[in-house]
Amino acid sequence: MKMKRILCSLLCAAAVSGAVAQNTAVQETEEQKDKRMEWFDHAKLGIFIHYGIYAVNGVSESWSFHNKYLPYEQYMVQCDGFTAKNYDPKAWLDLIKESGARYTVLTTKHHDGVALWDTKYSDLNTVKATAAKRDLVTPFVKEVRKHGLKLGLYYSLIDWSHPDYPNFTRTESRYNVTEDPERWQKFLKFDFDQLDELNKYKPDLYWFDGDWEQSAETWNAKGMSEFLRKANKNVIINSRIQGYGDYATPEQGVPVVRPEEKHWELCMTMNDSWGYQHADTNYKSPYILLRTFVDCLSMGGNMLLDIGPKEDGTIPEEQVAVLKEFGRWTKKHKEAIYDTRAGIPCEHFQGYTTLNEAGDVLYLYLPYKPNGPIEVKGLMNKVNRVWVVGDGEIIQSKVYNKNYWSEVPGNLYIDVPEHALDPMITVVAVLLDGPIKLYRGAGKVIESN
């Protein structure tokens, strides 16, 4: 009997990994990865979309039953109220493109297991199980492509509704993986099968979630990443696949220091909720969200800003207003957004900064109204020109405290006229005589005068 269990387990594992067994990935060089990540690094802004049955009653997506805030049966009754009657992916994408975003990520299936496409591996999808009776992913993908944006698909590795997934609620489980490996392999095959369906959309990016519940070995994370890269060698995968992703994904809290990973993205809600919640009116202002965005830019990262449509498919007016203000600001300041890299150390400027790719244009972001000239310290370059991004107005600058006998550079002061200030965040560009050079010393004592 024991031998039979082992044999069954091996056969199930083979069924899952067979698709990748013949594809031993060639080790990618750093240069090759940088080339693959190029569009992502230049995109800067993406829009996350949490859309699902949880919007019907406005409860926390999946977590509300997992944490036992309400019974599972009560949570799933929302399927009957999920109509998507006003779902208009073209209107969504018109707004997303207007915001200045270069990519978008849709939740194809959250932890509750309700798939937004007509998956043949589960009846728990919007076609068979909800009042919508529609495939919501396919028309969304078509509009993303028409609008020229990059496509990201969110997929939850965990599925708390699936009978073969070990975990159910915070205090209840169905079985132990180590004690019933055959059952686990059945679930893992289910994940691979659904991902195979999503591969047909040829996503540019996979955004995984839920990997914390199992180890990399249990998930077969290596095999999964190879499986996806076999379908598309250029696909980008986020970090939540137990060490086999391409970029870090901190969420909500802005990193105080730049993440160690070369490529990263902050995902952020507009209020306190990912999905639509009727009672959550604690919206951040466009100013706060734009300030968060330039904070990410200054550290060389992206921002994935979340929206949560209502159950009928309409986007709340507060979220529309934020996206439109982002659109106004990004259109005006595009030169200081998409082709920039991380800026200079914070000791040199009281605000956020970025550099262009060549390193000879320094962008200064002012989320405040200056009480006088703004200051850049330690700049060893000659300044050729200074202007206000978005209107091109040339503005005055002057260096003070530069002594001929010292290598320590002076302080650059820039006068920003009040009429040139943006109502949200003003951006000033400083053209240098070459790639930026900064003095990072502690100063000098006068030895000769």
Side-chain angles (χ1 to χ4, degrees), residues 270-286:
M270 292 186 183
N271 50 10
D272 295 324
S273 309
W274 295 103
Y276 176 68
Q277 293 194 24
H278 310 72
D280 187 355
T281 59
N282 190 31
Y283 279 94
K284 307 171 185 81
S285 67

Side-chain angles (χ1 to χ4, degrees), residues 98-364:
E98 181 184 344
S99 75
R102 298 284 178 88
Y103 66 110
T104 184
V105 179
L106 175 68
T107 51
T108 65
K109 189 192 75 170
H110 207 267
H111 313 324
D112 59 15
V114 182
L116 268 59
W117 79 100
D118 191 14
T119 174
K120 66 181 180 181
Y121 297 104
S122 169
D123 288 340
L124 196 53
N125 62 67
T126 52
V127 177
K128 299 182 181 71
T130 74
K133 299 188 183 305
R134 298 175 61 185
D135 170 4
L136 304 178
V137 175
T138 300
F140 176 81
V141 171
K142 288 180 179 178
E143 286 300 327
V144 172
R145 298 307 186 195
K146 285 180 182 178
H147 283 73
L149 301 182
K150 294 294 186 180
L151 172 67
L153 299 181
Y154 169 109
Y155 182 81
S156 172
L157 293 169
I158 61 181
D159 188 331
W160 290 323
S161 291
H162 198 285
D164 290 321
Y165 188 72
N167 300 338
F168 179 41
T169 69
R170 183 76 68 179
T171 59
E172 301 168 88
S173 61
R174 298 181 177 95
Y175 66 98
N176 188 301
V177 172
T178 58
E179 294 175 359
D180 198 347
E182 300 94 339
R183 192 173 178 185
W184 171 252
Q185 291 301 330
K186 284 176 62 180
F187 176 77
L188 196 55
K189 184 177 185 303
F190 166 77
D191 263 1
F192 272 75
D193 285 339
Q194 284 202 323
L195 288 170
D196 195 36
E197 289 181 321
L198 294 178
N199 275 339
K200 296 173 185 176
Y201 293 115
K202 296 180 171 55
D204 302 289
L205 182 152
Y206 270 109
W207 213 103
F208 285 113
D209 203 8
D211 66 331
W212 63 83
E213 288 204 342
Q214 312 295 337
S215 68
E217 183 180 11
T218 303
W219 282 124
N220 189 12
K222 181 176 185 294
M224 189 175 288
S225 66
E226 290 175 348
F227 176 64
L228 300 176
R229 297 192 195 286
K230 183 179 181 181
N232 176 7
K233 66 178 182 179
N234 292 317
V235 73
I236 292 173
I237 302 172
N238 78 331
S239 62
R240 302 182 189 188
I241 187 173
Q242 288 287 347
Y244 289 90
D246 296 309
Y247 68 95
T249 54
E251 64 182 88
Q252 297 293 48
V254 184
V256 176
V257 296
R258 178 175 177 161
E260 293 181 3
E261 291 83 351
K262 185 174 184 179
H263 313 279
W264 67 276
E265 160 201 88
L266 171 72
C267 53
M268 171 69 71
T269 58
M270 292 186 183
N271 50 10
D272 295 324
S273 309
W274 295 103
Y276 176 68
Q277 293 194 24
H278 310 72
D280 187 355
T281 59
N282 190 31
Y283 279 94
K284 307 171 185 81
S285 67
Y287 167 78
I288 289 175
L289 291 168
L290 280 168
R291 186 162 181 159
T292 302
F293 179 43
V294 298
D295 197 351
C296 293
L297 294 178
S298 72
M299 292 187 283
N302 291 6
M303 181 175 176
L304 185 63
L305 183 62
D306 181 67
I307 60 174
K310 299 177 181 180
E311 68 80 16
D312 67 354
T314 57
I315 300 172
E317 59 183 23
E318 297 94 338
Q319 299 177 19
V320 171
V322 169
L323 293 183
K324 284 187 173 293
E325 181 56 26
F326 262 72
R328 181 201 69 82
W329 192 86
T330 56
K331 183 178 181 180
K332 178 180 178 181
H333 300 101
K334 59 184 179 181
E335 77 164 86
I337 300 172
Y338 304 107
D339 295 320
T340 63
R341 54 188 173 94
I344 59 179
C346 59
E347 299 92 349
H348 294 271
F349 179 69
Q350 295 174 339
Y352 309 108
T353 65
T354 63
L355 290 161
N356 69 342
E357 290 294 328
D360 60 356
V361 177
L362 173 64
Y363 294 105
L364 310 173

